[in-house]
Amino acid sequence: MPKVTVDGQEIEVPNGATVLQACELAGKEIPRFCYHERLSIAGNCRMCLVEVKPGPPKPQASCALPATEGQEIRTDTPMVKSAREGVMEFLLINHPLDCPICDQGGECDLQDQSVAYGRGGSRYHENKRAVTEKYMGPLIKTVMTRCIHCTRCVRFSEEIAGVDEIGALYRGEDMQITTYLEQAAEHELSANVIDLCPVGALTSRPYAFEARPWELKKTLSIDVSDAVGANIRLDSRGREVMRALPRINDDVNEEWLSDKGRYMVDGLTRKRLDRVWIRRKGKLQPASWEEAFKAIAKAQKSSGPQGSIAAIAGDLVDCETMFAAKRLVNALGSTLLEGRQTGMSYPATNLAAVNFNSTFAGIETADAILIVGSHVRWEAPLVNVRLRKAAKAGAKVFVVGPHWDTTYPAEFLGDDAAVLHDLPGHVTEALAKARRPAVIVGGAGLAKGALDAALALPVQREGWNGFNVLHMAASRMGGLMLGYAQKGGIKDIVDAAPKLVLALGADEVDWSAFAGSLKVYIGHHGDKGAHAADIILPAAAYSEKDGTYVNTEGRVQFAEKAVFAPGDAREDWTILRALADALGVSVGFDSFAELQAAMIAEVPALGEEGLANYGALPKPGKGRAPKRATGRIAYPIKDFYLTNAIARASVVMQECSAELVHGQVLEAAE
């Protein structure tokens, strides 16, 4: 490790580190616009100038200069100060200086660095350059006259997202950043360029002129739009969530967020259930909580004690809600619990067999990957980013399922699940010879019985478990840990014909199979489940309650309450607690703290944030006849932007679906 001196302080730096990284290790702040830790080095803003000896007697860009043995680096000399002032003066020559009406105001790198490193005034009095606005779709607002050509957005699109949609046209003063042919950016991570942009050239179109950052309350939360569990921050004003932004977590989402997780938040205020409804003579009518509880109690008492009640968990619910419902169902003598709404019935006795065991960070190091029944770009865009890293490092990727546009080289082996039992020789050889082989089974693969066939593949090595299941529901792993899995799936509940069914935000169930049951929907949106319900009890969305979530890699995470639920809506656990009183049973908790304590006592892993330990993988088919994968694979997600009740209520997601999925031409809003 080379030793360098930074402002008189000698430090050791890792091999391959740059001068900028050496300065940061020494605790020095180096201004920058184009440099970003997760992108390639461009070296084109020249803001990170330092003085280095030995070397030419002039400032040098620290981001592109390797740190070598014996360097003397100065960050505070008059030469460096003057050079940074000059660079800032040049950057501001053509900048419109419209900070009062710029949405980046208050969180703008250019503002901050011009105050810290710029001159007190400009010597430029000529006409400023102007650039026509570009259309980048319903999510990204452009004011390209503000652009300083840092090319962060270009490098993100090419290197991280893997979609070459943004680039630079022309040269010199005429250079412009744009999407090719000025069309909408059509990938699932496009809005991350808004976070990357150090000025106000790329801002959020739906959030334009809505709020200033200092007006907003910031709450740490978890994204529930998929099973990745991306760490997010919810910014709220009053009782409304204004925006969702990614938080840095290198183990989960790095610092990226899918467009759906970022922009479906406007759906939190639309189509909300904010009062109790009871179906009378085939029509839903407003009612009181007391009336609803009496109707539920009457239906429960008129049925037998065993198997008379069931609970079905939706895709967005937290572990506390599922545990409270479990306690209520168990207290009434039933064990009918299910969370796999669409009818899947894979065995869930060994959770290691339904877990993403390689972890998201670990899958980057895989050198041979077989994807079975998963459209990863739509089911988990942030996992697709990890797979692209693995492919760039040389991993061979094979896919069993219908063709989709990958962002890395991949070979499609057909859409018949039976191909798993007779893989081509070169695929078998690649998995056998790989140092870190991996298989990823998606929801479509699970539906076609691919679990046993995938378990039989040789993807385990010493210190490496390459068997992975990629779920799509934020509640799935938590539900499986809490026992929301019948042996035959939801068919077992249909066969039991319960008189009372609690739907915990369950919108994807085929409710026609429960014609003889009283369907009680405890949820937050007037979506499919509410339309089929006999009684609707308005509940809180994920932003309106504290809760524990477990992502598809078994990582336990906690989300905090950002705002209050609207109208008469209540947090789910309080509804279930009150319902227990109405039904005359005890569930063993009276507060959220008591509920959490009881849940953790039953499932200790839910009390520790981080990866849960599910033990070793089972042998394929152990204790039962191995299931053979058969049938044509069809991906369950048909529209990336409309996969849950919140997204379907979102105007922004509806616009994205219309334009980016269905090709409708929408007017570019100014």
Side-chain angles (χ1 to χ4, degrees), residues 212-356:
R212 289 298 195 184
W214 55 83
E215 299 178 292
L216 305 176
K217 184 184 81 169
K218 300 165 178 62
T219 307
L220 307 184
S221 188
I222 301 298
D223 173 34
V224 298
S225 66
D226 56 29
V228 172
N231 289 209
I232 61 173
R233 189 188 85 197
L234 295 177
D235 288 359
S236 57
R237 184 176 61 188
R239 300 186 69 162
E240 182 179 357
V241 175
M242 305 298 292
R243 63 178 180 177
L245 296 175
R247 288 187 284 134
I248 297 177
N249 187 328
D250 288 337
D251 293 327
V252 183
N253 58 305
E254 298 178 287
E255 59 186 86
W256 318 125
L257 183 59
S258 74
D259 291 348
K260 181 167 54 180
R262 183 188 297 263
Y263 282 115
M264 73 178 188
V265 292
D266 74 307
L268 291 168
T269 58
R270 293 179 170 87
K271 298 184 180 178
R272 287 301 301 268
L273 299 172
D274 58 0
R275 64 186 306 174
V276 179
W277 298 83
I278 295 180
R279 191 176 298 277
R280 298 188 177 103
K281 298 180 181 179
K283 186 177 180 180
L284 286 169
Q285 297 179 353
S288 66
W289 286 97
E290 186 178 3
E291 289 176 305
F293 285 161
K294 282 182 178 178
I296 296 169
K298 182 179 178 181
Q300 173 62 20
K301 288 175 182 176
S302 66
S303 61
Q306 297 300 319
S308 58
I309 183 172
I312 302 174
D315 292 348
L316 309 181
V317 293
D318 54 294
C319 292
E320 285 81 359
T321 297
M322 290 187 282
F323 180 76
K326 179 182 180 179
R327 274 288 178 93
L328 177 59
V329 168
N330 291 166
L332 291 166
S334 174
T335 59
L336 295 175
L337 304 168
E338 184 55 74
R340 299 165 294 184
Q341 300 180 68
T342 54
M344 287 188 285
S345 58
Y346 49 83
T349 51
N350 186 315
L351 294 182
V354 289
N355 185 50
F356 203 95

Side-chain angles (χ1 to χ4, degrees), residues 158-238:
E158 292 180 354
E159 298 166 11
I160 307 297
V163 182
D164 296 342
E165 288 189 336
I166 301 178
L169 300 178
Y170 318 122
R171 300 184 66 183
E173 189 183 33
D174 295 324
M175 180 177 171
Q176 299 181 22
I177 303 293
T178 179
T179 52
Y180 298 111
L181 305 179
E182 295 192 23
Q183 292 180 340
E186 294 184 1
H187 60 88
E188 305 77 28
L189 301 167
S190 64
N192 286 288
V193 299
I194 295 168
D195 297 334
L196 288 173
C197 185
V199 295
L202 303 177
T203 55
S204 171
R205 186 179 291 275
Y207 179 70
F209 308 125
E210 290 291 330
R212 289 298 195 184
W214 55 83
E215 299 178 292
L216 305 176
K217 184 184 81 169
K218 300 165 178 62
T219 307
L220 307 184
S221 188
I222 301 298
D223 173 34
V224 298
S225 66
D226 56 29
V228 172
N231 289 209
I232 61 173
R233 189 188 85 197
L234 295 177
D235 288 359
S236 57
R237 184 176 61 188

